[in-house]
Amino acid sequence: MRGGTVSNHYKAASVPPLTSAWVGRHLETGERIVGTEALHGGITAEMRRLTIAIRDGGTRDLVLRSFVDPFSVEHAKDWLNREADALTLLAETGVPAPRLVAVDPTAAHCAYPSLLMTHLTGRTLLDDEGVEARVPLLARQLVAIHAVLPAERPREYAVLTTADTVVVPKGVDVVLWAAAIDVIRKPAPPYEGRFLHRDFHPGNVLFDVPPGCPAGARITGVVDWATASWGPADLDVAHCSTNLALLHGPAWGLRFAVAYEEAGGVLAAAANERLYWRVRDGLACSEDVKSVAQSWREAGRTELTTRAVVERLDAYVTALMDGPG
């Protein structure tokens, strides 16, 4: 998702009283919030884990998502309603998504538009170590998401960039980038629609990893369904590919589409159609490189400066344009 960064004031604060009271109304009798913890790595939403004291003396965790900056608040009604609908749908499938507890998309009761959901075990894995084992897992999970058949289709996918809004980074081959931009000036290829996550990437996937055994990782959850959509499988694959290229290097971005097909996924048959979706997503990232790099540094990848991410993006776009599609 796109938009401004969250407020530093809100990051430092506890859950606002209005929001806390709203959460309380959706707890079981005798339960109460006894702890909060900020969850890092997001760009547009403030995420908090809430520790809930339960009646038998133990605790359980919930997750609170709140949109707090003006851009996100403007879009919150759509995003939160879509996420609520997606979580309700996925509760009947084998996709490991949170369960919806409550949603206040217009801040009728909360300080900010908010959604409350169950907490999933596991953690995001963004380091290079173990990526070779995780890519096939990501691919298989995405194939499973695309196999979901909703009774009512979600909204059609949104275009995140146009040929006129691409930001060409300094120091790149402008001729090659101009050629890439020309690719997305053409009409979108025809496609067979699928249920899309629309923001599927390593930062939105939770893993459990046995101690000292990165190869034994398994996926425990997929989060952030606020832009769930209907569209081509290629689009979700392209988005994860771009993120893998920026996190781990262009070769991993190129590898993901292969892994997706190896897992049984079906992509566009024509090379030029595949290229269209992959280039479109790579170019869309050009507008958000700074915020993406910042979120990854906050999550522990301190070497991923904005310049380093720009260089990887340039290398990835170049590899796409130089490759067979």
Side-chain angles (χ1 to χ4, degrees):
M1 290 189 334
R2 303 173 65 190
T5 56
V6 296
S7 150
N8 287 332
H9 169 74
Y10 188 76
K11 280 187 176 182
S14 59
V15 178
L18 278 176
T19 306
S20 181
W22 173 77
V23 170
R25 291 196 291 275
H26 294 282
L27 301 179
E28 299 293 331
T29 301
E31 295 185 339
R32 69 187 192 282
I33 302 172
V34 294
T36 65
E37 177 188 356
L39 301 176
H40 299 288
I43 296 176
T44 56
E46 172 65 26
M47 304 289 293
R48 288 191 171 278
R49 179 166 63 189
L50 308 181
T51 301
I52 310 299
I54 59 180
R55 284 175 294 181
D56 67 2
T59 61
R60 66 187 179 105
D61 291 333
L62 297 175
V63 172
L64 175 70
R65 176 200 291 279
S66 297
F67 291 107
V68 303
D69 72 88
F71 177 90
S72 298
V73 169
E74 181 182 347
H75 293 82
K77 182 178 179 180
D78 174 46
W79 288 343
L80 290 179
N81 280 330
R82 273 208 264 180
E83 181 152 37
D85 289 345
L87 297 184
T88 301
L89 167 67
L90 294 167
E92 305 302 321
T93 74
V95 175
R99 296 297 182 99
L100 176 68
V101 176
V103 63
D104 181 13
T106 61
H109 308 285
C110 300
Y112 300 98
S114 299
L115 182 143
L116 186 66
M117 60 192 131
T118 58
H119 176 265
L120 299 177
T121 60
R123 59 189 176 93
T124 55
L125 296 176
L126 303 180
D127 291 337
D128 290 334
E129 182 183 13
V131 65
E132 64 280 356
R134 296 194 301 272
V135 163
L137 298 180
L138 291 167
R140 288 198 291 272
Q141 184 61 73
L142 191 53
V143 169
I145 290 169
H146 292 165
V148 171
L149 297 174
E152 183 176 342
R153 289 183 182 180
R155 185 176 303 181
E156 199 79 5
Y157 74 91
V159 173
L160 299 183
T161 194
T162 70
D164 297 322
T165 59
V166 173
V167 178
V168 179
K170 293 181 180 179
V172 303
D173 182 339
V174 294
V175 174
L176 183 139
W177 273 70
I181 292 170
D182 282 342
V183 168
I184 68 168
R185 290 190 192 279
K186 302 169 187 174
Y191 60 86
E192 183 179 352
R194 293 283 186 271
F195 177 72
L196 305 181
H197 182 283
R198 195 61 183 99
D199 196 21
F200 185 85
H201 62 79
N204 282 332
V205 179
L206 304 176
F207 289 87
D208 176 67
V209 185
C213 184
R218 65 180 183 89
I219 291 176
T220 58
V222 182
V223 299
D224 195 352
W225 295 88
T227 49
S229 310
W230 188 261
D234 285 79
L235 195 55
D236 262 356
V237 172
H239 190 60
C240 191
S241 295
T242 300
N243 278 269
L244 287 168
L246 303 189
L247 270 171
H248 306 297
W252 289 108
L254 299 174
R255 169 63 186 151
F256 185 69
V258 177
Y260 179 83
E261 291 188 296
E262 290 174 346
V266 178
L267 296 173
N272 65 314
E273 294 178 353
R274 297 182 183 213
L275 180 66
Y276 175 90
W277 298 112
R278 294 174 199 178
V279 168
R280 174 171 283 285
D281 193 87
L283 296 182
C285 189
S286 73
E287 301 170 43
D288 282 331
V289 166
K290 185 176 181 179
S291 57
V292 167
Q294 179 182 337
S295 69
W296 286 341
R297 289 196 301 275
E298 290 175 352
R301 291 296 301 273
T302 55
E303 80 282 10
L304 290 180
T305 63
T306 299
R307 187 63 213 167
V309 174
V310 166
E311 289 174 355
R312 286 187 172 182
L313 176 61
D314 180 40
Y316 179 58
V317 171
T318 299
L320 290 175
M321 294 300 292
D322 289 345

